[in-house]
Amino acid sequence: MSRERVKRELPPVQEHIDKLRKVVEEGNYYGALQMYKSISARYVTAQRFSEALDILYSGACIELEHGLVNCGADLALLFVDTLVKAKSPCNDDTLDRIRCIFKLFPRVPVPPHLVDVSDDEDVQNLQESLGEARSRVENLTSFLRAAIKWSAEFGGPSTGYPELHAMLGDYLYTECPELDMVRISRHFVRAEDPEKFASMLINFMGRCYPGEDDLAIARAVLMYLSMGNMKDANFMMDEIKRQAETKNPELSESDLIQFISYLLETLQRDALPLFNMLRVKFKSCIDREPLLSELLDEIAERFYGVQRKNPLQGMFGDIFKVNESIYI
């Protein structure tokens, strides 16, 4: 059958949307999922991408509204794949659809730690809850990573649309049972919302283990600086210091925070010898996490033109290259 004949024979898309909605409402969620996929594929084959997107968007929303996260996420990811096939530009209309899908992903309070459970049944329930939480996070992450990649390739900033990074960073922070602050921070430094990022770090200071707070703050500031973003790096530090005066006054006494303060002042002038001297003087606190040294190498290259001995070994800088950043 020719493509032109397929185009003629396909019915108005709203007929499918209404029919499939009824299938979902009748409880045949997985049957509807397969129908959404097969019907949308016919429109894609006919290069009627706009209608295929209408079907997939409707399906993703309806499945998520009914609590079918796996089904909804499957269709959401297929929606983005179709955006790529159609070479759809990154614009407000499409971003609004992505926002709507994102808002339908459930947010469930992370269950208590194992120390709070008392018997085998509680442990089993907890394990099931944690497994469901991880699945939700993985589904949402796959969808938004694909959306970030699409936005970078079709008209958005080269590192992806900032709001999409903010969505993913926020969801990872609030919904993931095991916090990965490195991963979360990588998205927030691209989100162009340092105020929200600072508030998140202040919140983290109240729930983290001792010694994790100054490390998270230093890492965030260095990430900004490795991108050449002095403005947000300084804002982040000033805002955290302001809020920490009452909530965590001991923070300013941390060697690592002192190092970051000195570093921000040093980078405002051509002072490579002082930069190197700071790295030597504060080596013990910098060595608490290998990523800090890697970030400082990136900063030295960006601000002072110091070439790394082996740039291919960059743990963080390479991730920020356009084609890799979207896979974080």
Side-chain angles (χ1 to χ4, degrees):
M1 185 182 295
S2 70
R3 181 173 293 169
E4 289 300 320
R5 184 178 175 186
V6 170
K7 285 185 178 181
R8 291 195 301 269
E9 291 185 354
L10 289 175
V13 70
Q14 193 60 45
E15 291 183 13
H16 289 305
I17 291 175
D18 293 340
K19 176 183 176 181
L20 291 171
R21 176 181 288 275
K22 291 180 181 178
V23 175
V24 174
E25 291 174 347
E26 290 170 357
N28 187 7
Y29 305 122
Y30 292 98
L33 173 64
Q34 299 307 315
M35 294 172 69
Y36 276 117
K37 288 183 175 181
S38 61
I39 293 172
S40 64
R42 291 166 58 192
Y43 283 86
V44 170
T45 299
Q47 294 191 338
R48 291 168 62 171
F49 295 111
S50 177
E51 291 153 299
L53 289 167
D54 288 343
I55 292 171
L56 292 168
Y57 170 70
S58 174
C61 291
I62 292 169
E63 295 276 17
L64 286 169
E65 286 169 355
H66 284 77
L68 274 295
V69 178
N70 290 339
C71 294
D74 209 0
L75 293 174
L77 188 57
L78 195 53
F79 173 81
V80 179
D81 288 344
T82 305
L83 288 175
V84 175
K85 290 177 181 177
K87 298 182 179 179
S88 296
C90 178
N91 56 36
D92 288 339
D93 289 340
T94 302
L95 289 169
D96 278 342
R97 285 186 158 189
I98 292 173
R99 292 183 189 104
C100 289
I101 294 172
F102 168 73
K103 290 177 181 177
L104 290 172
F105 273 82
R107 290 180 178 265
V108 181
V110 177
H113 297 294
L114 283 172
V115 70
D116 296 325
V117 298
S118 57
D119 56 37
D120 292 342
E121 184 177 353
D122 290 337
V123 171
Q124 182 177 350
N125 291 336
L126 176 60
Q127 290 175 339
E128 291 176 358
S129 296
L130 290 173
E132 291 171 0
R134 293 187 188 101
S135 178
R136 288 193 297 271
V137 170
E138 289 171 3
N139 280 316
L140 186 278
T141 299
S142 296
F143 164 55
L144 283 184
R145 283 194 311 185
I148 290 169
K149 181 180 180 182
W150 157 78
S151 71
E153 293 178 354
F154 295 98
S158 61
T159 54
Y161 194 71
E163 187 181 353
L164 301 179
H165 281 291
M167 291 176 185
L168 183 49
D170 180 69
Y171 199 89
L172 289 171
Y173 181 70
T174 60
E175 304 301 313
C176 191
E178 301 91 8
L179 286 182
D180 183 345
M181 292 302 295
V182 174
R183 185 182 181 194
I184 291 167
S185 296
R186 283 171 176 161
H187 288 290
F188 268 109
V189 295
R190 291 181 175 81
E192 297 183 0
D193 191 352
E195 186 173 358
K196 184 174 183 179
F197 191 12
S199 296
M200 186 272 287
L201 287 174
I202 292 293
N203 177 273
F204 177 69
M205 288 164 58
R207 57 187 287 192
C208 67
Y209 292 108
E212 289 185 338
D213 48 2
D214 62 341
L215 193 57
I217 294 165
R219 186 191 302 122
V221 174
L222 293 179
M223 285 182 177
Y224 275 129
L225 292 174
S226 72
M227 299 169 67
N229 190 344
M230 279 282 290
K231 179 182 176 181
D232 288 345
N234 278 291
F235 176 90
M236 168 76 67
M237 201 63 192
D238 291 342
E239 183 66 15
I240 287 176
K241 282 183 175 180
R242 184 184 67 80
Q243 295 195 40
E245 285 180 356
T246 55
K247 298 179 180 179
N248 188 0
E250 296 83 11
L251 182 66
S252 61
E253 300 175 4
S254 160
D255 287 344
L256 193 53
I257 296 301
Q258 289 182 29
F259 166 71
I260 294 297
S261 298
Y262 292 140
L263 178 66
L264 288 169
E265 295 177 6
T266 301
L267 292 177
Q268 294 180 29
R269 46 194 170 139
D270 186 9
L272 178 58
L274 180 55
F275 175 85
N276 290 331
M277 186 178 73
L278 286 174
R279 293 190 67 169
V280 172
K281 180 177 180 180
F282 289 92
K283 185 177 184 303
S284 60
C285 61
I286 294 171
D287 287 347
R288 287 169 55 190
E289 181 174 277
L291 179 57
L292 301 186
S293 289
E294 179 62 34
L295 289 169
L296 287 167
D297 288 344
E298 296 267 352
I299 293 165
E301 183 173 11
R302 180 175 290 274
F303 284 84
Y304 299 118
V306 178
Q307 294 295 316
R308 288 183 291 165
K309 293 181 180 179
N310 186 354
L312 296 178
Q313 292 179 349
M315 295 163 45
F316 184 77
D318 291 342
I319 291 176
F320 273 119
K321 297 296 188 289
V322 173
N323 291 332
E324 297 183 26
S325 65
I326 33 86
Y327 294 109
I328 296 170

